Amino acid sequence: MCLWYPPEGTVPSFRVRSNWKACPIVAVSLCALLFPAPVHVSLSFAANLGTTMPAQQSRTASPYVRSAMAVLATLEQAQVLPPEGSREADRVIQSVIQFQSAFAKGTDRSLQDFARHAVAAKQGEKAIAVLEQFHADGWIAEVLEALSEADLLTPQEELERLTAGFRTFNVSLSDFKRFMQLVRDGRSALAARGQSFAEVYAHHRNAMPGAAGR
């Protein structure tokens, strides 16, 4: 079943439940990216969206949608996602979508500076190209890894400066720290199996219909 709930105040919200194949998938996903609202979808739906969306829809799906779904698929493969249907699962999906928008499309100076410094610290002279790809296509492994490392290295008082920018997208600093912990846990879990987080993510991202090898 696909249900659309009317705006609560000025913020739209929606809920996707079990019979998701009947839903207008791309429209639902794009709504999640366009509006900073709570998102409720099943984890299996989210992680497998790219391989199940109809061909016509997949050709027009936003690269941000494909990137967000690839992140969830990567974390699912790493077996670090919370139980499906739990409140924690809802927050993970919202975090993947909303933090992508906050850092890639948001205008808050503190967020942009944090992302730029994080990527520069890890990528050096490649940072500009990495950020350009991120702003164009959404999540890439290099940005996720850089942010997750910066989260650990940045003093709490400096992280607090990100709160206002996050609030615009209905997420919090606590949500960010939980998401970054998932990325670190995913990297560790995959590494223990001899797999690279970046390679696993690239595989899922490139397997998304309409990805055109990106």
Side-chain angles (χ1 to χ4, degrees), residues 65-126:
V65 173
R66 294 191 290 266
S67 293
M69 298 307 107
V71 171
L72 290 166
T74 301
L75 296 176
E76 181 179 59
Q77 183 171 331
Q79 298 180 325
V80 297
L81 291 175
E84 184 169 338
S86 65
R87 181 175 299 180
E88 291 78 10
D90 286 347
R91 294 301 291 180
V92 169
I93 297 168
Q94 181 179 4
S95 292
V96 171
I97 294 171
Q98 302 297 66
F99 285 119
Q100 176 176 247
S101 293
F103 284 110
K105 302 178 75 174
T107 59
D108 183 85
R109 180 65 177 272
S110 295
L111 297 187
Q112 296 307 312
D113 286 347
F114 181 79
R116 185 171 62 254
H117 293 154
V119 174
K122 190 168 179 63
Q123 295 294 324
E125 61 185 17
K126 297 179 181 179

